[in-house]
Amino acid sequence: MTKTQNKKHQKSHMGIVIVGHVDHGKSSLIGRLLYDTGSLPAGKKEELEAICEKRGQNFEWSFLLDAFQAERDQAITIDTTQIFFSTTARNYVIIDAPGHREFLKNMISGAAQADAGILVVDATEGVREQTRRHAYMLHLLGLQQIAVVINKMDKVNYDAKVFEAVKAETIEYLKSIGLNTSYIVPISAREGDMLSSRGDNMPWYEGKSLCDVFDAFAYKSAPTDLPLRFPVQDVYRFDEERVLVGRIETGTLHKGDTIFFSPTNEKATITAIKNWPSDESLMKASAGQSIGITLDDRIFVERGHVGSSVKNPPMLSNIFKANIFWLSNKPLKVGNSYTIRYGTIESKVTVQSIDTLIDTQDLKTDNNAQSVERNCVAEITLRARDSLPIDPHSTNPQLGRVVLYEGYDVAGGGLISMEGYPDQRSSAKPKSENIYKVTHSVTPNMRAERFGHYGAVFWFTGLSGSGKSTLAVAVEKQIFENNLNAYVLDGDNVRYGLNSDLGFSPEDRAENIRRIGEVAALQANSGVVVLSAFISPYQADREKARAALPNAFHEIYIKADLATCEGRDPKGLYKKARGGDIKQFTGIDSPYEAPDNPDLIVDTQLNDIETCVAQIVDYIKANVIMDKKQNASDGRIVSIK
């Protein structure tokens, strides 16, 4: 390479990943492109031609990239190779990613670094298995700029009809997975047609050459326009000074800014920005810079915490979805635990569910899959022990990619999604000030002495149509006739008044349950047996409701599968949801998390109403009726069993 080119390479480069089915000509394409544009070191081609002659084999353009002896012997690319390359308009780093299915891990590593992708398709074979898989991987990794090259046109005599047929097949598949391409270019890597120059063999093609396509891609600048994200890599201590170090992934920070850390919800003012070599005058730093900061307050911050502005922090959640590509020889299964990493965050997670398994060949989906095998794509739900700072890939591509590890090995990777899940931070923000709790002179035990039973919350959760309200009303009548003061809180009734201002977004669902949990706790404190009948689809929200009255909260799972509930459909809601008239309907396009460890399971799919009512009534009596031998002296509601 020339000195001029080397200077160019020291500047920013657009990353282009090249993928496709094995033997469709990716490496040959790059080798020929480098040769035609004078980007090879002097004598490199001649050196390889001599080696080929000595071995008694024909020279292949792919040998220019096959850096390892083993690769030449196997005739497949097994590593991800980066090649600096320049057109007259721009600098590039081309990422030659392996196409063989045994080395998909390397392909993913390469594609994750790219700004745009080139999908190579053989004109003689068309769209094949790995073409589909690699195209889906580009989609999974969130690449928005994709071009297709249909290679080996020389082998089909540069036939325009063949090109159009393969082009149509390719477009059909890409559209089916949500990918669009503005450029589909016929080329011959062997002969150099339509790479850096147009050649004379395809006058019928009036579009751009491959180099023109490269130059037409929009240059992706540093994501400074996105909200600030500063994942903390480490905390250094120099005498009395604490320096938080890390790389700014998105946004910009300034000396004097208030920085907010997740998941601890602590904040402080930036007193200095450190860089190396030291520049005491540094007043700001932006995305892509590795820096240190000092704070005016010694708040608790450690590796994995994420700094942001106060107004626009990441979401907090202990549960999220991931669209993943599985790479491990050991299948992913529900209940398996893995380590996830994104940014500097590392956490243990458990697979809560395999929501959808996708066949990248024909895009068939399996919603009842029990495992995800190697090289398969799936949408899964992961649960962490603690709340994690989370940015969905749709809002922050820099931190929205996740890698799963099994031990020290990469097992899979993909994109984070929070679709259907609320920001758990927003439902736990105390706003009121100068508020003081009233201490009652009448204790729960005094009320129990008077009424003969304790107050408690019996939280009925289950899908719409499982029978929650029907059972709650029937149970209320029966225990009322047994002299228990009972009241049903029903989802529809509450939304007529108290929660009439709320919709059905994940955030509104969380707030709906938070309010109900507080109301139910107040009623139970007054001595009422509260029968709370709500879908309450998220385990985290039900746990918050339990926290309002932990000693007298009973989670009752009204169990019936989706098919059974949809078959009942007493309000016609499933029909409307299937028809698109109701959005974010639980079980259809919004998730339902069955209880991890409910206090009682009532199976309405297997049992009739009378049996279910009797089961619940017996459970309630066992937990609330006053036992004269047990009486708490501290005024707390107790659960008598």
Side-chain angles (χ1 to χ4, degrees), residues 626-631:
M626 182 70 180
D627 185 336
K628 299 297 183 181
K629 296 179 182 180
Q630 299 189 38
N631 192 356

Side-chain angles (χ1 to χ4, degrees), residues 117-137:
I118 302 293
L119 180 66
V120 181
V121 181
D122 189 329
T124 66
E125 295 187 355
V127 175
R128 299 292 300 276
E129 174 196 358
Q130 288 179 24
T131 313
R132 294 186 175 94
R133 184 175 287 113
H134 292 182
Y136 198 90
M137 183 54 56

